[in-house]
Amino acid sequence: MFRAVLLRRMSTQLLPLLAPVIFTKMETGFPDSQVEKYPYYNLTVKVLRARNIHGTDLLSKADCYVALDLPTASPVTFRTQVVHNSSDPEWNETFSYRVHSIVKNILEFTFYDKDVLLKSHAASIHFDVGNITPGQTLKHTFVLNPQGKEELDMEFSLEESTDPPTEVITNGVLVAHPCLRVQGSINKSEKTKWIIQENCQVKVSVPGAFENPSSTFCSADSEERRKIPFVFYVDREICPELHAELLQTTAILEEGWSEDLKMHTARLGKGSVSLGTLPLGQNVEISIPIGEEQAVDLSVKVEESPQDLDVRLSFELCKGEREFLDMRKKISSRALKMILGLPEEPKKDEIPIVAVVASGGGMRAMTAFYGNLLGLQQLHLLDILMYICGISGSTWCLSKLYKDPHWSQKDLQDEISIVRKLVTSSKVGAFSVERLMYYFQQLMMLEKEGWKVTLTDLWGLIIEYFLHQKQDPSKLSDQQSAVRWGQNPFPIYAAVNVKPNVSRQEFTEWCEFTPYEFGIHKYGAFIRIEDFGSEFFNGLLLRKRLEPRICFLQGIWASAFAANLDEIWDEVISSKAGFLDTLKEAIKAIDEARGHPPLDPLQLQQRMVLPGGAFRHLFQDLIKIRLSVEESANFMRGLYLHKDYANAKEFVAWKGPNLDAVPNQLTPMEESLSLVDGAFSINSPFPLVLQAERGVDVILSFNYSWEAPFEVLHQAEKYCEEREIPFPHIAVSETDKQKPKECYMFMDPRNLKVPIVLHFPLVNNTFQKYKAPGVEHETEDEKSFGNFSVEGENSPYRSMNFTYAPDEFDRLIELSRYNILNNKDAIVKALNLAMKRRALKNVKRK
């Protein structure tokens, strides 16, 4: 449940802020969301002077100014005047903000030369407004460059505002402010005070509003329309303004070119009105002066949007998952009684939560995962599983299985026989001209829907062919029918959110896709899976898009392959021609179908010009980057970080200096999510099952990593150590590293919070001698079947190989199945231990 994190770790100087706080239980169905009421403060920032500034221009001193950004209080960047040719510029300029005390207000000020950003170590400084004691003035000298003794003097003061406290919604990490809906129209009539001149437009905008810079234009060519409507959504707390501008656009001949024109836009006038001065819920007529004797007439209505959010701000499990667990535990209880030989079915709180995590590894991971699950089924252990979590190639297995709502209750041999036909069939058809035309049509449909088309989307369509060889209409939400009655384990698909210009060692955020939701647990923020890719602002769904087909999600989950389409082409086609080269025929066919002349082959070979919007974006991405990132609308846009977000136990952050300590650079402040294959962080989705709310007791770790049997465990251990998440210590002998066994158990007998981890490397250990536990191979054919190497330079199970010979597929299935059957005792031992540890936990709770 929600904890009042504001009351923790507060310095005595900030105690006056606590008195006005009011907590109210929120009726939204979000178990740990609260409505909180906090006061406003008036912040005054005075830029005083700088000293010892060394300009970048050798011929003169610096021309300095300071820019100030406080995105939690204003969408506008303020800046001082420029002080020319001075090493010791002095400004004494004052800027004012109204800040809401519940959010983390970080003022960012940047020191600039007029033409060149000073490349000092402290050119940009982040200052926490919470360091200011209310009612006092704080003067501080910031060091811009220690080597050159460059310094900047600032002065701050914070006074409580007379504005009454307002309610916000929060989960202790994110804060949702009230949102205003601004609708209206530009009115044109004979009484209008401004006259539309040739090539002139009136632009209406609300800085910081949804789809900023969202705007409405009124121009001469729209005179027949008497009213030009507009709608904006904006955070009420940033003191929003409605702006009107008179713009004139002229065409200028580009120097040196006889045919190209460059469009130049000049502002002839500008005016604004504060939305806070307009009455709520009423239509009003206003006139905004935009120049000498000119004004624009508007009809405007400002309303508060509903308080109920479309983003779930909570760290608790969603309703669908909670209901699933209640039903699944009944099935698991019966299975445990039978498997462990218990005298009676264990009670609900005695049932250990068992999760499977499966690593990536392309077709190798998908095939071996089928074999592991078949082994669990034959041991009657599928029903004891609560969660199955996959990453990269293992998600292909999950997404195929969960098309059948009752897959775990049926003989998996039947499904495996279908998969065998697909895996052993030729993949050449994926790159035929007809199929490429289909890809382009699908990508253009995505672009028309509003998606940013990338290589990941193309890769998703190629996966669709590899796994189905036809269009797969299914969506992830369809899988709700597979868990609605608890009949199968709960599937979780993994990805990570990254920053394109930051290494994965410095920043990754684990994301989860389930049949019910998509979200980032780090922030306690989730949306319905049906709304993935739709546009949100301030927690409200404002632009609904169709839920993407699951093939496009598969492109995200296994996007590590998307950057290697040329290599995949070489593997599948075995041709000297590259993947891009073969696109000539497909593009030619499309152009001819459209009635366009064919492209110049030289242009295609040089990768300079390609037709169509989707084509252009797609192949520009291919040319410029090797890592393919899926850009999805950020559903947390408009939400802010709670002032004590870093102290919330649910906010799982890295230790030491990192971006988690810089709220202005965290994901809620971004326009888009950058989603990639989770294997770029850890090639097994441990973080998603280690969430405290899921309470996992036993983890079955299936590792399909290439030549790295313990790497995912060491990565997971490091991840957990940095974030203080309970995880067993991984100690592996040199002998085991050189020749790993089929199963390892890791646990901490002294810490009941640490899950038991059973780790299964993909190794051919005793299968070379035994066809079943205790049953040796007898015939030469049987011995030959079991005598093969999973790894090695000549192995058929390379990650880039997507087609196996029938015997190669059968061997991998049988090996993975056997490795489970041969370690039944280890699994049963882990279940018995987990039940005993559960009992001890229950005693401690009582």
Side-chain angles (χ1 to χ4, degrees), residues 690-746:
L690 289 170
Q691 295 170 13
E693 294 77 13
R694 292 198 163 116
V696 171
D697 300 288
V698 179
I699 299 175
L700 304 182
S701 167
F702 298 147
N703 180 66
Y704 315 119
S705 301
W706 188 252
E707 298 179 342
F710 304 104
E711 182 180 6
V712 295
L713 290 179
H714 292 302
Q715 290 176 335
E717 181 183 16
K718 181 181 179 183
Y719 175 92
C720 292
E721 285 178 353
E722 290 174 340
R723 295 161 177 80
E724 299 182 348
I725 299 172
F727 195 78
H729 175 59
I730 306 302
V732 182
S733 69
E734 287 299 321
T735 301
D736 285 329
K737 290 178 183 178
Q738 296 300 321
K739 191 174 181 180
K741 295 177 289 191
E742 297 160 354
C743 180
Y744 295 83
M745 181 184 292
F746 302 96

Side-chain angles (χ1 to χ4, degrees), residues 97-112:
Y97 300 91
R98 189 191 70 161
V99 299
H100 201 226
S101 56
I102 194 175
V103 301
K104 191 71 168 178
N105 294 294
I106 301 296
L107 176 66
E108 181 176 354
F109 44 94
T110 309
F111 194 82
Y112 285 96

Side-chain angles (χ1 to χ4, degrees), residues 769-789:
K769 184 177 181 181
Y770 297 94
K771 60 182 178 181
V775 181
E776 293 188 14
H777 294 300
E778 298 174 356
T779 68
E780 290 301 318
D781 287 345
E782 288 177 348
K783 292 177 182 178
S784 175
F785 182 80
N787 186 19
F788 71 97
S789 175

